[in-house]
């Protein structure tokens, strides 16, 4: 260990810490802002007497913004979107991993292209269509459009998990007199269970974090937290403590879930392109 | 019995196919709308064929938006790549600090981009925001972050960088951990310096992983919406009106549906072409990396 080498090691660690200050300070600052009483918002920065008033106001709907309801809406449409995607996506992923057939690759790439399509290409026609069909500002309408986010993710990642699975086990089950369906449900599915759990949570996070769909396709009944949090910024003097509290409450579910699926994130975020 | 096995994959895929059609239908409908002059004030539209597109391409507003979008996408993708790979390399040195920090690396990535923009908006407010408060001792307390054209664009790129750098970092880190050890041992025996090893070994083998991240980031930032909408709403003036924001203003705010969709179709074509070029390039890079290994 020369002096020079040790110095470089120190510098590298310092650079790393610097990046993490940049990454974590905004979150810490939101916690501070959300705990500040309204009269100390701008008088001091780092010294204040903490209070939960901001959270009480946000969760008590006292600003005329029904935040708890938006939170429940986010929960309902995100869970609904993930369940629907699992229901149609798992069989499709299994079929495309196990059999090569006409049109399967085209279908897969069509699905993948949704991931990169500008959302408004689909949303603006839907905005017109939903008004006609009565789906505007409804759970059903939101669950349907969120398939754009959740379905490609679930199909592509599950396909890579099924492809990694050796087919021998299912073939053995077939020889034992299982039907194809039983082999899928009783042999293949249990083996990829951790993958299914992880991809479901990741899809939930992306559905929860979505903003552009509820912004355009809901107005009040089915509005979600991402749009709701932005409403606190309205007015000439945005109420910083309330905005911060609303922002924090709305990031709690995704952050908690993300920490539980760390091991699966690389495959999930890259659509199966990179396996850790 | 004979025909059933051949049909089975199709039966399994039918539900997904139906759902896909449900998404493709509005897309097709949108394409169809662009051939008309459909708007809220004209519910009985006339066929105008490609007029919407010729209008788009002859508008200064479009070229301004296209320019802003490209600046944003290139800026965000480049900064995130350099920063993300650097962070991954530093974490990979696997000091004690690195292992602790790796656990919390992904936090900003899991925060909704719109919420991230809200957070930064509060922090960047010129008179009461905490960023200027912290800069005051250095005589930089009066920066008008989002109130000048250049500042607004740089601020929105900064939010993008804050959210998505971990994305590049975790893919690069996965790449670093999968590198074979023997070439590095051989280089060490030959007394190769750090820089030489990095240039000739690490980077070429790591590049396929990084490129996957770059493709995702570049394509995503071409269609950025949430961050700009919450941070600047396209302002000041039209200095941050990226293409999706322009489409939103046209279609939703001014209710010129056909014209707004035309904007998104043009953007979609650009994204599609960019994807083709990048994926082709990725194949080449992957073959090269395999040779180094």
């Amino acid at each position: 260990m020369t002096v020079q080498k040790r110095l470089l090691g120190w510098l590298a660690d310092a650079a790393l810490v610097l990046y993490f200050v940049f990454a974590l300070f905004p979150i810490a600052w939101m916690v501070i802002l959300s705990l500040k009483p309204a009269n100390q918002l701008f008088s001091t920065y780092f010294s204040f007497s903490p209070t939960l008033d901001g959270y009480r106001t946000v969760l008590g709907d006292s600003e005329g913004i029904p935040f708890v309801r938006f939170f429940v809406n986010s929960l309902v449409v995100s869970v609904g979107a993930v369940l629907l995607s699992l229901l149609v996506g798992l069989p499709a992923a299994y079929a495309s991993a196990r059999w090569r057939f006409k049109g399967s690759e085209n279908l897969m790439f069509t699905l993948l292209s949704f991931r990169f399509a500008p959302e408004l290409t689909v949303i603006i026609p839907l905005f017109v269509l939903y008004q006609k069909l009565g789906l505007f500002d409804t759970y059903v309408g939101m669950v349907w459009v969120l398939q754009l986010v959740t379905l490609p993710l679930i199909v592509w990642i599950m396909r890579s998990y099924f492809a990694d699975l050796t087919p021998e086990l299912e073939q053995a089950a077939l020889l034992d007199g299982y039907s194809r369906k039983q082999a899928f449900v009783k042999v293949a599915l249990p083996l990829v269970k951790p993958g299914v759990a992880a991809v479901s949570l990741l899809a939930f996070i992306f559905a929860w974090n979505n903003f552009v769909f509820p912004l355009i396709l809901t107005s009040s009944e089915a509005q979600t937290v991402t749009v709701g949090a932005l409403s606190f910024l309205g007015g000439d003097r945005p109420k910083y403590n309330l905005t911060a509290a609303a922002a924090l409450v709305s990031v709690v579910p995704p952050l908690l879930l993300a920490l539980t699926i760390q091991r699966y994130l690389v495959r999930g975020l890259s659509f199966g392109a990179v396996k850790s | 019995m004979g025909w059933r096995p051949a049909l089975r994959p199709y039966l399994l895929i039918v539900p997904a196919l139906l759902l896909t059609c449900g998404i493709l239908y509005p897309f097709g409908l949108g394409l169809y709308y662009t051939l008309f002059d459909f708007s809220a004030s004209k519910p009985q539209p006339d066929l105008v064929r490609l007029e919407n597109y010729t209008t788009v391409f002859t508008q200064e507003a479009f070229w301004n938006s296209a320019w802003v979008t490209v600046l944003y996408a290139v800026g965000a993708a480049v900064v995130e790549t350099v920063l993300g790979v650097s962070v991954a390399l530093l974490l990979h040195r696997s000091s004690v600090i690195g292992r602790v920090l790796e656990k919390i690396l992904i936090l900003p990535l899991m925060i909704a981009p719109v919420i991230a923009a809200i957070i930064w908006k509060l922090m960047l407010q010129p008179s009461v925001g905490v960023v200027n408060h912290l800069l005051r001792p250095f005589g930089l307390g009066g920066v008008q972050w989002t109130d000048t054209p250049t500042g607004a664009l740089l601020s929105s790129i900064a939010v993008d960088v804050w959210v998505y750098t971990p994305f590049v970092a975790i893919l690069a880190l996965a790449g670093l951990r999968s590198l074979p050890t023997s070439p590095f041992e051989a280089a060490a025996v030959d007394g190769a310096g750090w820089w030489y090893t990095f240039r000739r070994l690490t980077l070429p083998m790591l590049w396929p992983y990084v490129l996957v991240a770059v493709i995702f980031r570049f394509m995503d930032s071409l269609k950025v919406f949430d961050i700009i909408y919450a941070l600047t709403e396209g302002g000041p003036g039209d200095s941050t009106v990226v293409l999706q924001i322009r489409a939103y203003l046209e279609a939703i705010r001014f209710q010129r549906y056909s014209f707004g969709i035309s904007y998104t179709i043009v953007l979609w074509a650009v994204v599609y072409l960019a994807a083709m070029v990048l994926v082709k390039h990725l194949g080449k890079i992957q073959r090269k990396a395999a040779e180094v290994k």
Side-chain angles (χ1 to χ4, degrees):
Chain A
M1 253 327 218
T2 59
V3 173
Q4 196 187 6
K5 251 198 163 148
R6 192 172 300 175
L7 203 64
L8 277 174
W10 273 96
L11 271 178
D13 282 347
L16 201 54
V17 169
L18 203 63
Y19 168 77
F20 275 91
V21 169
F22 164 69
L24 298 176
F25 177 77
I27 302 173
W29 182 244
M30 279 310 103
V31 175
I32 290 174
L33 267 187
S34 68
L35 293 171
K36 276 189 171 194
N39 59 3
Q40 290 179 1
L41 274 178
F42 311 117
S43 49
T44 61
Y45 281 85
F46 294 96
S47 66
F48 62 100
S49 34
T51 164
L52 288 173
D53 281 355
Y55 289 94
R56 275 192 205 101
T57 310
V58 168
L59 299 175
D61 299 352
S62 44
E63 282 292 305
I65 299 168
F67 201 71
V68 175
R69 189 196 169 139
F70 294 158
F71 195 92
V72 174
N73 287 349
S74 279
L75 213 55
V76 172
V77 299
S78 305
V79 169
V82 171
L83 287 179
L84 181 58
S85 287
L86 282 175
L87 196 69
V88 304
L90 282 176
Y94 183 69
S96 77
R98 279 286 173 267
W99 294 286
R100 287 279 159 267
F101 54 93
K102 244 195 172 74
S104 69
E105 287 306 294
N106 287 341
L107 177 69
M108 286 296 136
F109 275 99
T110 305
L111 269 177
L112 187 61
S113 72
F114 292 160
R115 166 71 185 66
F116 294 109
E119 296 85 351
L120 286 157
T121 316
V122 171
I123 299 183
I124 299 166
L126 277 182
F127 174 73
V128 176
L129 203 63
Y130 274 15
Q131 314 256 17
K132 282 185 196 154
L133 298 173
L135 286 173
F136 181 78
D137 202 19
T138 62
Y139 286 160
V140 175
M142 276 300 292
V143 167
W144 182 262
V145 75
L146 279 170
Q147 294 309 308
L148 262 174
V149 177
T150 52
L151 188 65
L153 185 81
I154 284 177
V155 170
W156 268 82
I157 299 171
M158 284 325 298
R159 180 196 194 193
S160 86
Y161 276 112
F162 283 128
D164 287 352
L165 209 60
T166 149
E168 273 104 31
L169 290 161
E170 290 145 70
Q171 274 152 8
L174 290 176
L175 289 175
D176 285 344
Y178 275 50
S179 69
R180 250 293 164 192
K181 193 171 144 199
Q182 283 172 315
F184 168 63
V185 173
K186 291 186 174 160
V187 180
L189 260 188
L191 285 170
V192 295
K193 211 189 266 173
V196 175
V199 77
S200 305
L201 293 182
L202 194 60
F204 175 91
I205 291 170
F206 284 141
W208 178 281
N209 285 347
N210 190 285
F211 168 73
V212 67
F213 297 152
L215 175 75
I216 295 172
L217 299 175
T218 70
S219 57
S220 58
E221 296 295 313
Q223 205 174 90
T224 60
V225 279
T226 43
V227 183
L230 198 59
S231 345
F232 284 97
L233 271 181
D236 304 335
R237 294 283 293 176
K239 302 180 175 61
Y240 278 37
N241 54 337
L242 303 186
T243 310
L248 274 174
V249 170
S250 60
V251 301
V252 165
L255 287 189
L256 286 181
L257 294 179
L259 293 174
T260 64
I261 53 166
Q262 284 227 344
R263 283 183 41 231
Y264 302 89
L265 274 178
V266 170
R267 195 194 287 232
L269 291 170
S270 65
F271 271 59
V274 175
K275 292 165 188 176
S276 54
Chain B
M1 258 328 268
W3 53 271
R4 281 188 55 192
L7 206 63
R8 184 176 295 119
Y10 291 102
L11 288 176
L12 285 174
I13 256 179
V14 158
L17 200 59
L18 285 174
L19 207 52
T20 309
C21 293
I23 299 168
L24 284 175
Y25 174 70
F27 182 81
L29 189 68
L31 262 176
Y32 176 75
Y33 280 156
T34 58
L35 305 177
F36 292 82
D37 56 354
F38 179 33
S39 67
S41 58
K42 207 167 175 192
Q44 300 297 333
D46 295 315
L47 180 67
V48 295
R49 291 201 172 79
L50 294 179
E51 215 171 279
N52 282 317
Y53 294 100
T54 50
T55 313
V56 165
F57 286 121
T58 50
Q59 264 196 336
E60 206 173 310
F62 165 77
W63 293 105
N64 169 63
S65 277
W67 174 239
V68 172
T69 306
V70 168
L71 277 181
Y72 182 97
V74 171
V78 167
V79 176
E80 281 153 25
T81 305
V82 173
L83 197 57
V85 173
S86 309
V87 168
L89 286 167
L90 291 172
L91 284 170
H92 191 58
R93 285 174 63 252
S94 77
S95 59
V96 180
I97 292 182
R99 272 197 291 279
V100 177
L101 290 181
E102 198 192 321
K103 298 257 182 301
I104 46 178
L105 176 67
I106 54 146
L107 289 179
L109 183 61
M110 292 297 143
I111 288 176
V114 67
I115 302 286
I118 291 172
I119 291 173
W120 281 90
K121 194 172 179 139
L122 296 185
M123 289 173 45
L124 291 174
Q125 211 285 332
S127 55
V128 295
V130 68
V131 173
N132 276 0
H133 171 75
L134 293 173
L135 288 176
R136 234 157 251 144
F138 307 98
L140 290 165
V143 185
Q144 301 286 317
W145 294 103
T146 54
D147 299 341
T148 62
T150 314
L153 188 61
L154 290 177
S155 301
S156 45
I157 291 175
V159 178
D160 203 288
V161 166
W162 183 71
V163 176
Y164 290 106
T165 297
F167 176 82
V168 182
I170 62 172
L171 290 194
L173 201 54
L176 283 169
R177 286 185 178 148
S178 69
L179 295 182
T181 51
S182 53
F184 293 93
E185 284 157 7
V189 170
D190 294 344
W194 177 88
W195 178 240
Y196 181 87
T197 312
F198 178 73
R199 276 287 320 263
R200 289 302 159 100
L201 291 175
T202 316
L203 211 51
M205 283 194 278
L206 190 62
W207 202 231
Y209 290 88
V210 177
L211 202 60
V212 169
V214 173
I215 290 174
F216 269 85
R217 286 312 317 132
F218 182 70
M219 312 255 291
D220 271 351
S221 40
L222 279 176
K223 62 188 183 81
V224 61
F225 180 87
D226 304 13
I227 290 174
I228 304 269
Y229 183 91
L231 194 73
T232 67
E233 276 209 75
D238 55 5
S239 56
T240 53
V241 179
V242 290
L243 284 164
Q244 278 228 100
I245 293 282
R246 175 81 65 192
Y248 170 84
L249 293 174
E250 286 292 348
I252 307 296
R253 203 147 297 171
F254 310 134
Q255 302 189 303
R256 293 193 282 253
Y257 308 127
S258 285
F259 196 58
I261 301 169
S262 306
Y263 262 102
T264 70
I265 297 282
V266 171
L267 175 59
W268 174 76
V270 171
V271 170
Y272 197 84
L273 284 174
M276 297 246 287
V277 172
L278 286 168
V279 171
K280 218 180 202 154
H281 189 58
L282 178 67
K284 255 191 238 156
I285 296 279
Q286 279 173 328
R287 280 191 292 279
K288 242 198 203 138
E291 281 163 29
V292 177
K293 279 185 185 173

